[in-house]
Amino acid sequence: MLAPSLESPNLTPTQDDAPTLHLFGTPRVVHAGRRLEVPEGSKRLLAFVALNGGWVERRHAAGTLWPLGDDLRAAGNLRSALWRLKAAGIDVLDSDKCSLSVREHTVVDLNVLCDWAGRLIAGTATSEDLHTFRWRADALDLLPGWYDDWVLIERERIRQRLLHGLEALSRHLVVAGRCAEAVESAMVAVGVEPLRESAQRVLIEAHLAEGNLVEALRTYDTYHGLTRRELGVEPGRDLSMLLRAHCDAVRLPRLPSQAREN
């Protein structure tokens, strides 16, 4: 699966000869236009170093990735994993007696996406950051099918960051008058987490900014039914009040879901 981040000019590596490490989907490296498959015995090592900020102690990496057996065996497994990477033509890790690190100028899709989301969240996004992508819902799923503790923690942290980034993108697009794209970005966030109220809110706000009150009401009604069915609760009061104000403006006395309840 191709992470959507690199489809935007602002998110494309600036060094033409720089290798790109992909962690969304199956770990792989793309270099000079060639896709290099990471050997099975080396995937976890490559991902572990990248997810630890690009630097990790050798002993910590070996002990975490190969916990069974003694330290000598773990160290041997680590050396084998490094050898397999070099044999496959993947030269993205530097190693010495004490540490491992992602080689300088290597582009990591995870870092590119998180930096992009960070600029949107902080309000420092450039015009190029406001590109919309051909996102798929699973594009936000880091290393799918991996259940190591060190993956699970990072996967959730990064998922939250990217969801916040998509919500911020939708709001920036509304301000820029690009409401159709704002709707699309918000719908990706909703597709990833339908029960996430902040995502539902930006979708409703985008519909309202576009003048589509009926679409906003339909979105609210669907979300209202989902929260009652899945959680047994009502949507937040602020969300209801947002729509009520627009309904009152066009003389709609109640929301569709409330009408059915009465």
Side-chain angles (χ1 to χ4, degrees):
M1 176 189 62
L2 178 65
S5 58
L6 301 181
E7 295 178 10
S8 165
N10 194 42
L11 300 179
T12 302
T14 55
Q15 303 93 356
D16 292 336
D17 60 343
T20 301
L21 169 59
H22 293 264
L23 294 179
F24 289 91
T26 301
R28 65 200 183 281
V29 173
V30 176
H31 191 197
R34 294 174 53 234
R35 173 171 171 151
L36 305 175
E37 298 296 339
V38 180
E40 285 298 325
S42 303
K43 287 181 179 178
R44 294 171 72 248
L45 174 61
L46 202 54
F48 186 76
V49 177
L51 288 180
N52 277 272
W55 183 94
V56 67
E57 290 184 348
R58 288 180 71 112
R59 181 177 296 182
H60 176 55
T64 301
L65 297 175
W66 295 280
L68 302 179
D70 56 26
D71 291 347
L72 287 177
R73 182 174 181 180
N77 288 332
L78 175 60
R79 288 193 299 270
S80 295
L82 288 170
W83 180 85
R84 291 190 188 98
L85 283 177
K86 290 192 178 295
I90 298 173
D91 194 18
V92 297
L93 290 184
D94 283 328
S95 63
D96 56 33
K97 292 182 179 180
C98 298
S99 65
L100 302 166
S101 60
V102 175
R103 178 159 290 183
E104 187 179 6
H105 302 310
T106 299
V107 177
V108 182
D109 64 347
L110 168 65
N111 297 338
V112 174
L113 269 176
C114 286
D115 289 346
W116 167 81
R119 292 191 297 273
L120 287 163
I121 295 167
T124 59
T126 67
S127 59
E128 290 184 333
D129 287 324
L130 301 187
H131 285 274
T132 54
F133 314 120
R134 293 186 296 276
W135 288 90
R136 285 169 34 181
D138 59 355
L140 278 69
D141 194 8
L142 178 73
L143 298 171
W146 292 35
Y147 300 104
D148 307 80
D149 289 342
W150 53 272
V151 174
L152 295 176
I153 294 171
E154 283 300 291
R155 179 185 295 149
E156 182 57 23
R157 181 185 70 81
I158 291 162
R159 190 180 74 95
Q160 289 295 326
R161 185 173 184 84
L162 295 182
L163 283 170
H164 280 112
L166 281 167
E167 292 168 2
L169 173 62
S170 182
R171 289 195 168 103
H172 281 293
L173 289 169
V174 165
V175 172
R178 295 160 58 183
C179 296
E181 294 170 273
V183 168
E184 291 179 16
S185 298
M187 288 184 70
V188 174
V190 168
V192 172
E193 186 47 78
L195 288 169
R196 185 180 174 91
E197 187 153 317
S198 58
Q200 296 281 353
R201 183 183 182 92
V202 295
L203 177 56
I204 288 171
E205 289 172 343
H207 282 313
L208 292 175
E210 200 172 22
N212 286 327
L213 177 58
V214 171
E215 291 288 353
L217 290 170
R218 183 181 293 120
T219 297
Y220 176 87
D221 204 32
T222 300
Y223 180 57
H224 179 273
L226 182 64
T227 58
R228 293 197 67 177
R229 182 173 64 254
E230 297 292 330
L231 303 176
V233 299
E234 301 287 326
R237 184 173 182 272
D238 288 346
L239 185 61
S240 301
M241 293 300 294
L242 169 68
L243 267 173
R244 192 180 306 280
H246 284 269
C247 288
D248 289 344
V250 294
R251 298 184 180 181
L252 292 177
R254 65 187 72 185
L255 299 179
S257 54
Q258 292 173 326
R260 286 199 298 272
E261 292 170 13
N262 295 334

